Structure formats: structure tokens, C-alpha cells
Amino acid sequence: MPDAEDVRTIALSLPDTTEKTAWSMPTFRVAGKMFATMPEEETSIAVRCPKVERDELVRAEPDKFWVADHEAFSAWVRVRLAALDDTDELRDILADSWRQAAPTRLLESHPELGVAAAD
């Protein structure tokens, strides 16, 4: 089961990522744009996710994904760390969120990370 330290290690391994405390919780940013937060006593993460995809994830795996009330109208989804299979799954989720926030120059410089998902 991945934990908060795995989140931190993986997020900070992504290009041009920094950690900044905001709203009394760790947040991770690429080129200054937030792509992940670690709320709820660091037992979950919130990541960017297009709303259509987010709704499908929540319906398909409600024990793993959910939407916080205050994020209902934004393109974010919560992920329970205890419900993830392994750190590979965590890496995929964080990388997908990173791609959505990263500027084009970084996406072009790191083709191994793929392209951003369409909103």
C-alpha cells in the first residue's frame, strides 16, 4: 500500500515539480501550477482529472475514488492511498495529473511521460 512518503517521492521525481504547503497541507506543483494535494491526514490525495473521466472513475471504483463536496464543480478527484494496488498505480495517477498541469514545453521535453489528457 502506497503511503504519504511514496506520494512525495513520486511527485517530486516528476520534472519541474516542487512541494509547497498551502491550506495547511502539502501541495505539489509543476512550473508553479498545482497538480496534487495531500489532505485528510495524508491518507489520500487529490489530483486533476477531467470531469467526465472523474465521474466514470467514481462510479467504477467508489472505494478508491471520490469527489469532495467543495471540488464538485472542479476537475479534481480524491484517491484513497490504502485502496491503491501499488506504487506503480500511484505513479500513473500522479503522472496523469502532472501532464494535465504541465506547460507544453515540459510535455515536449519529456515525451516518456506522454501527452496531456483532453478536458
Side-chain angles (χ1 to χ4, degrees):
M1 171 183 77
D3 61 18
E5 196 52 41
D6 294 321
V7 172
R8 186 168 279 108
T9 299
I10 292 168
L12 292 174
S13 75
L14 296 167
D16 204 16
T17 295
T18 57
E19 181 177 347
K20 178 180 178 182
T21 300
W23 307 286
S24 302
M25 69 180 137
T27 67
F28 300 92
R29 299 159 189 258
V30 55
K33 195 170 180 182
M34 191 164 39
F35 71 93
T37 67
M38 218 171 0
E40 276 84 46
E41 300 175 353
E42 301 185 350
T43 60
S44 69
I45 57 174
V47 294
R48 291 176 173 267
C49 186
K51 288 181 188 177
V52 172
E53 184 178 326
R54 175 190 78 182
D55 295 343
E56 291 172 7
L57 287 171
V58 170
R59 277 193 300 275
E61 299 183 81
D63 293 337
K64 187 180 291 187
F65 300 102
W66 87 100
V67 177
D69 291 341
H70 69 279
E71 294 165 343
F73 298 104
S74 64
W76 286 80
V77 67
R78 299 286 180 106
V79 184
R80 290 175 181 87
L81 295 176
L84 296 178
D85 295 329
D86 53 31
T87 56
D88 288 340
E89 185 177 21
L90 175 61
R91 182 177 310 281
D92 289 347
I93 290 167
L94 287 169
D96 186 56
S97 186
W98 179 91
R99 283 190 294 274
Q100 292 175 61
T104 303
R105 69 173 171 79
L106 277 176
L107 294 172
E108 291 172 350
S109 297
H110 298 280
E112 74 281 5
L113 291 172
V115 295
D119 281 333

